[in-house]
Amino acid sequence: MKIRFSYVLAVGIVAGVAGWMWTGTFVAGGLADSPNATPPPSQRAEEAAAKPFRVAVRDIVAEPRRSVLVIRGRTEADAKVEVRAETSGRVAERRVQEGQRIAKDDVLCVLDKGAREAKVLEAKALLAQAELDHTAATQLKEKGFTAQTRVAALRAAMDAASAKLEEQELELARTIIKAPISGIVESPMVSVGTVLAIGGICATIIDADPILAIGQVSERDVGKLEIGQEAEVELVAGGTATGRIRYIAPAADSSTRTFRVEIVIDNKDGAIRDGITATARVPLREERAHQLSSGVLTLNDAGTLGIRAVDEENRVVFHPVIVLGGDIDGLWVGGLPEQVRLIVTGQDYVTDGQVVEPVTSTAEATQ
């Protein structure tokens, strides 16, 4: 009888446990209905998913900034002239030396005159004879002893003799080669005894006052420059100079897609030499920009560089930016609204349009 009773008791216990498990009710120390009871894991996950993601934000405001465009290039003389012979001949004299400063019309080289002087004398004699013949014929015509056609023919002969004399005098003058500009004689220069053909170089003159700083500017930056803008030019050989932009190429170089820019610099003392590496810094127009840390920059799905911010409805907004430059305090960027609630922590874990819980950051956004 005891055995049967224990069987009945066991069956009752099992049935009670099964019923309790089926209801899903858990009573722990009488706290099942307590408001402080720990919710089940599934309930906690649902509550966490419904709660907005928390991000750190900081308000940043645009500031006035004057950026500087850096142009790297070299110096170049304002004029560099190769003085060439206009007639052929042997160099009889060399009146200047390499490195000598000369003025316009100074004699550089003298060629051997050869028979040129004799040809000038001959032409003068022919002209004198032609003038006498023309004068005599004119007088005879006035007295009716000669025809008008003879007078005209002698007039033509006289004009031809005059032109021949002018030609021979010009040929003689070409034996003296003069400087077309002021400047400094560059080495090498032709040696005495050298036979120059027409077009042969007697000397090369460099006019380095003013001198130019020449560089190339990208198509993205050329629109920021204007004729007359001032520039500070630093020379690799040491020293700086102030100049101004005098030329901006109207068309890009076909191979580099860059534009030639010339900065003119006064060089009366000749201290700046031709061909020196130079770096020009051109202050640009003042613009509004934001300063921030490079760590807050991110990319959107299209690969565009920008920042994520929070709008008035606490939604995430992506703003593309243009990097204008940087210094020890951070980066300067453009393209943003005047005032932005910048996400400084958590920007890589949110998506555009997502509602978030912004928390004002105590740390500087630019750090």
Side-chain angles (χ1 to χ4, degrees), residues 38-50:
T38 302
S42 59
Q43 182 180 350
R44 292 199 302 270
E46 291 176 0
E47 292 177 355

Side-chain angles (χ1 to χ4, degrees), residues 8-26:
V8 173
L9 180 61
V11 171
I13 292 174
V14 170
V17 171
W20 169 69
M21 293 180 66
W22 181 77
T23 60
T25 303
F26 175 70

Side-chain angles (χ1 to χ4, degrees), residues 49 61 299 312:
V61 181
L299 298 174
E312 296 178 354

Side-chain angles (χ1 to χ4, degrees), residues 33-249:
D33 298 328
S34 173
N36 297 323
T38 302
S42 59
Q43 182 180 350
R44 292 199 302 270
E46 291 176 0
E47 292 177 355
K51 187 176 182 180
F53 187 79
R54 180 175 295 181
V55 294
V57 299
R58 186 171 184 85
D59 291 333
I60 60 173
V61 181
E63 304 175 44
R65 176 181 183 267
R66 185 180 293 276
S67 59
V68 175
L69 179 63
V70 178
I71 306 174
R72 293 179 173 83
R74 70 187 189 285
T75 59
E76 185 175 296
D78 184 46
K80 186 174 183 179
V81 179
E82 294 177 336
V83 186
R84 299 176 181 271
E86 296 182 74
T87 187
S88 59
R90 178 179 57 84
V91 178
E93 296 180 59
R94 198 177 73 167
R95 300 280 183 89
V96 297
Q97 301 295 326
E98 292 91 338
Q100 180 178 336
R101 182 174 293 277
I102 59 172
K104 182 181 178 181
D105 293 329
D106 281 355
V107 177
L108 304 175
C109 302
V110 178
L111 302 182
D112 181 51
K113 296 177 176 56
R116 293 180 180 88
E117 289 180 327
K119 289 182 179 181
V120 170
L121 293 175
E122 180 184 7
K124 286 181 178 180
L126 292 174
L127 176 60
Q129 183 62 49
E131 289 174 344
L132 287 174
D133 293 342
H134 178 264
T135 301
T138 301
Q139 292 174 351
L140 290 173
K141 175 185 174 297
E142 292 174 352
K143 295 178 181 180
F145 296 119
T146 188
Q148 176 65 33
T149 55
R150 176 171 172 74
V151 174
L154 292 174
R155 175 66 186 181
M158 184 180 67
D159 290 342
S162 177
K164 186 66 174 179
L165 174 60
E166 185 177 348
E167 179 185 349
Q168 295 301 330
E169 288 178 336
L170 180 59
E171 179 67 12
L172 178 62
R174 285 171 175 166
T175 60
I176 300 176
I177 303 175
K178 297 181 179 181
I181 61 172
S182 300
I184 298 175
V185 179
E186 187 183 35
S187 178
M189 188 179 177
V190 69
S191 301
V192 174
T194 302
V195 177
L196 287 181
I198 296 177
I201 299 176
C202 163
T204 301
I205 302 174
I206 293 179
D207 181 10
D209 181 31
I211 198 163
L212 306 177
I214 297 176
Q216 302 291 328
V217 175
S218 70
E219 53 191 352
R220 182 187 63 183
D221 295 327
V222 70
K224 302 174 184 178
L225 300 178
E226 297 176 356
I227 301 296
Q229 277 182 294
E230 290 193 352
E232 189 75 14
V233 181
E234 181 180 354
L235 306 172
V236 72
T240 59
T242 301
R244 58 181 177 80
I245 296 177
R246 81 166 190 184
Y247 174 77
I248 302 172

